[in-house]
Amino acid sequence: MHNAFNIAEPEGFAMADSRFQSVHLEGQPRRELFRQARAQLNACCGMRTIAGDLRELSADDIGSAATRALPPPNPDAVYGLKDGETVHRLGVGVNSVGRLPDNVVCLKDDHVSRRHCAIIVHSDGRCELHDIASKNGTLLNGKRLQGPTPMAPGDQITLCGKQLELVEEL
């Protein structure tokens, strides 16, 4: 199977990240929505980003940036998610955001879902935001996500009234 970045994935490939298991959800409809969101997140990662998440990429593995409407990605960038005065560092791969303590970005807010959204930082420096079947949805720059959405530093994420900002750390 090939994903959006034209990188082959092994047959039967599945996200092994324990943060994205659906056992914490009650009821079949919510669990199925979560599983669909997880599959979409998985498909968007590609093997190179997953390898970067596992710290297995060499400098030669990082490809050139694709042209898009956003500023060109910086493969050397280090991103963070700013929550007030706190900046949560994001790594290459999948960065989960929610109220459970094992998320990369843990938000102490009862309205935020346990696994609310995820930010994929690709090995070439691109970032994209995914809602993970949250009950209240995810907004990027004031617009509700309809699917995976590219991000750039300065973008504002809203989760149930909680404001976060994607920043590039120097």
Side-chain angles (χ1 to χ4, degrees):
M1 176 168 112
H2 289 276
N3 60 26
F5 305 104
N6 204 27
I7 298 171
E9 295 175 349
E11 197 64 39
F13 175 76
M15 184 175 288
D17 192 328
S18 62
R19 294 171 298 174
F20 293 98
Q21 303 305 316
S22 56
V23 295
H24 68 281
L25 296 170
E26 302 87 23
Q28 188 59 30
R30 271 274 290 141
R31 188 172 289 132
E32 187 54 36
L33 285 173
F34 185 89
R35 288 176 180 165
Q36 289 170 7
R38 179 181 61 202
Q40 186 175 41
L41 180 68
N42 193 17
C44 287
C45 283
M47 294 306 294
R48 290 173 29 166
T49 296
I50 291 169
D53 192 15
L54 299 173
R55 310 295 182 260
E56 294 176 0
L57 284 180
S58 70
D60 294 336
D61 289 331
I62 299 174
S64 62
T67 53
R68 306 180 330 175
L70 295 172
N74 176 359
D76 298 321
V78 176
Y79 295 104
L81 200 57
K82 188 173 183 182
D83 176 14
E85 296 300 314
T86 304
V87 177
H88 304 271
R89 185 171 245 189
L90 305 176
V92 171
V94 178
N95 298 273
S96 59
V97 180
R99 71 174 194 266
L100 286 177
D102 64 344
N103 285 300
V104 172
V105 179
C106 178
L107 303 173
K108 294 178 183 5
D109 184 318
D110 290 339
H111 296 100
V112 172
S113 294
R114 293 175 238 186
R115 302 272 184 250
H116 199 103
C117 64
I119 298 171
I120 298 176
V121 177
H122 292 280
S123 59
D124 64 3
R126 292 175 296 118
C127 295
E128 63 189 46
L129 179 62
H130 293 251
D131 183 79
I132 307 296
S134 65
K135 283 187 178 179
N136 296 309
T138 302
L139 303 178
L140 180 63
N141 299 324
K143 296 182 182 175
R144 185 173 294 277
L145 289 184
Q146 299 300 315
T149 305
M151 297 180 68
D155 282 347
Q156 301 290 315
I157 302 168
T158 306
L159 311 174
C160 305
K162 184 90 166 152
Q163 295 286 322
L164 306 167
E165 178 184 357
L166 182 69
V167 295
E168 185 174 344
E169 298 179 339
L170 302 175

